[in-house]
Amino acid sequence: MKIIFTALFSLMSLMAMESDEITPHKYDDGGPKPYEIPASSRFTTSRLERHVPDIVYYFSKPKAETYPIAILCGGSTSKNNISSIIHLHRYILQEFHNLGAGVLTVEQWGIDGNTVNQDEFMKHYTRTQRLLDHRTVIEHLKANPPPGWNGKIILCGASEGGPLVTTLTTDFSDCVIATINWSGAGDWNWREELWVFVQKLLSDNPDCPDHKLKLKDCPCMEDVKTRERYDAKMDETLNNPTANKEFLGMTYLYHADAQQFTKYDYHKINTHFLVVSGTADSLIQSSDAFVAKATEAGANITYHRVNDMDHYVRRRPDVIAKTFAWLKAQLP
């Protein structure tokens, strides 16, 4: 009987240990479901500002004794669709673990797992704030390296995460060994990219989710039907960068910040860099310009220009597989 209880206790202990790790999961088009993040995988570090909440981040260690860390940056968020970065973390966790890499993701201000403070999130949601938080976490890692980390970083960004990982690539050229940019490598500024996106949306003419009208007939699109009116609205966001007013689902603060986001110094891209863009994405010409300028500057760019793919790499497992085949070839 003692042997049975000992074996049972050992099995229960093993199960508990396994449950303390973030588990891989690929959600479907129904969207991610709530997930209880193991406490042992949740970490914090202080922001540079005083008297503000700490940065929350998640880390999954691989089985390898020594390993690089992949830092994942997700896409943009609307006010009614705020969720944790843990879902992206879990979505491509297995692929990175298969290559012997750890995975790290950084929550945005106002989010902590299943807990979301919408007001706090919207007050602080800008590309620059996300960039600062990632810089802070990387500096924290360098000062407090996890056991087994070899000091090298892989960056992977999707959509809005693309500008973040591109800038981080130039910021941390001493330790970044590869960068993956999914549907987020663009040379054009935010004002131009958004204009092209909106015009494509009007051309497709779907139903407006808020007003149950065709988008072309919807009053919420009046300010984007001419370039003059659009530019006037974008100028207004620059002149009044507040989180209390919105345009096209984003705050004036967000638009103002994105329009002034740091321009890339292509000469500082000194690592293996993969750009993945779909020809059906409104971003495609901006991506073409990015690759052309980066290549001209001498950057080591690989371009997967995918026919008939839209903005969402997640819907193309074949493209994801090709990405990780490329990454495997870059790792020592």
Side-chain angles (χ1 to χ4, degrees):
M1 182 64 70
K2 181 178 180 181
I3 294 175
I4 294 174
F5 276 119
T6 300
L8 182 60
F9 179 80
S10 297
L11 179 61
M12 291 174 65
S13 298
L14 178 62
M15 292 173 64
M17 288 173 62
E18 290 178 344
S19 67
D20 283 340
E21 298 179 359
I22 296 170
T23 55
H25 175 69
K26 285 185 168 36
Y27 61 87
D28 57 25
D29 284 339
K33 302 296 188 295
Y35 173 70
E36 290 300 325
I37 300 162
S40 60
S41 299
R42 177 189 176 278
F43 300 87
T44 63
T45 189
S46 300
R47 285 188 167 89
L48 300 179
E49 306 92 334
R50 297 181 63 187
H51 309 302
V52 299
D54 288 346
I55 301 169
V56 175
Y57 68 95
Y58 310 119
F59 176 59
S60 296
K61 184 181 180 298
K63 292 181 179 179
E65 290 186 10
T66 61
Y67 54 88
I69 294 177
I71 298 178
L72 318 183
C73 300
S76 60
T77 305
S78 61
K79 181 171 66 175
N80 297 320
N81 191 32
I82 304 172
S83 63
S84 172
I85 192 67
I86 193 63
H87 305 298
L88 174 63
H89 187 119
R90 299 180 72 203
Y91 200 89
I92 49 177
L93 174 61
Q94 190 62 59
E95 284 83 351
F96 281 110
H97 272 0
N98 289 345
L99 296 181
V103 173
L104 186 149
T105 49
V106 180
E107 285 284 28
Q108 293 193 62
W109 197 316
I111 307 176
D112 188 352
N114 292 322
T115 302
V116 174
N117 185 322
Q118 187 184 76
D119 289 341
E120 282 297 297
F121 177 88
M122 297 306 292
K123 285 178 185 176
H124 300 96
Y125 176 32
T126 64
R127 292 184 180 185
T128 297
Q129 186 61 59
R130 294 188 69 189
L131 178 63
L132 291 174
D133 286 351
H134 280 83
R135 283 174 175 163
T136 300
V137 170
I138 292 172
E139 293 293 357
H140 174 74
L141 282 180
K142 293 172 76 173
N144 305 275
W149 179 41
N150 65 9
K152 301 302 180 182
I153 290 172
I154 301 164
L155 294 170
C156 180
S159 191
E160 182 182 274
L164 302 184
V165 297
T166 300
T167 304
L168 291 170
T169 297
T170 62
D171 287 344
F172 295 96
S173 58
D174 61 321
C175 55
V176 174
I177 56 173
T179 299
I180 298 165
N181 196 317
W182 279 337
S183 301
D187 177 71
W188 299 353
N189 63 37
W190 171 242
R191 183 181 294 219
E192 294 302 319
E193 288 187 351
L194 183 60
W195 169 254
V196 172
F197 168 78
V198 170
Q199 296 312 301
K200 184 179 186 301
L201 198 61
L202 286 171
S203 176
D204 294 342
N205 201 25
D207 292 333
C208 174
D210 296 324
H211 301 101
K212 310 305 179 187
L213 296 169
K214 286 294 182 183
L215 210 57
K216 281 185 177 179
D217 303 321
C218 189
C220 67
M221 302 301 286
E222 286 300 317
D223 286 321
V224 296
K225 290 186 176 178
T226 70
R227 184 59 195 249
E228 182 180 17
R229 294 170 74 171
Y230 170 79
D231 279 336
K233 201 70 177 178
M234 293 301 273
D235 288 343
E236 187 179 325
T237 69
L238 285 170
N239 294 328
N240 183 24
T242 175
N244 297 322
K245 298 185 72 172
E246 295 182 12
F247 176 52
L248 296 174
M250 296 296 197
T251 66
Y252 279 26
L253 174 66
Y254 178 91
H255 286 298
D257 176 84
Q259 289 179 81
Q260 300 173 94
F261 193 73
T262 307
K263 289 291 289 182
Y264 309 131
D265 185 346
Y266 290 109
H267 293 280
K268 291 185 177 180
I269 298 177
N270 299 318
T271 187
H272 302 290
F273 198 109
L274 175 65
V275 173
V276 180
S277 291
T279 59
D281 191 342
S282 65
L283 184 76
I284 189 62
Q285 289 181 291
S286 185
S287 292
D288 291 344
F290 177 99
V291 171
K293 288 190 177 182
T295 302
E296 183 181 357
N300 184 6
I301 299 287
T302 300
Y303 193 13
H304 292 175
R305 196 177 192 273
V306 186
N307 287 331
D308 300 322
M309 187 180 80
D310 59 16
H311 193 66
Y312 301 99
V313 176
R314 181 178 63 81
R315 297 172 181 169
R316 292 292 299 268
D318 58 323
V319 174
I320 294 175
K322 188 176 179 181
T323 290
F324 283 93
W326 172 87
L327 179 59
K328 183 178 181 179
Q330 316 312 317
L331 298 180

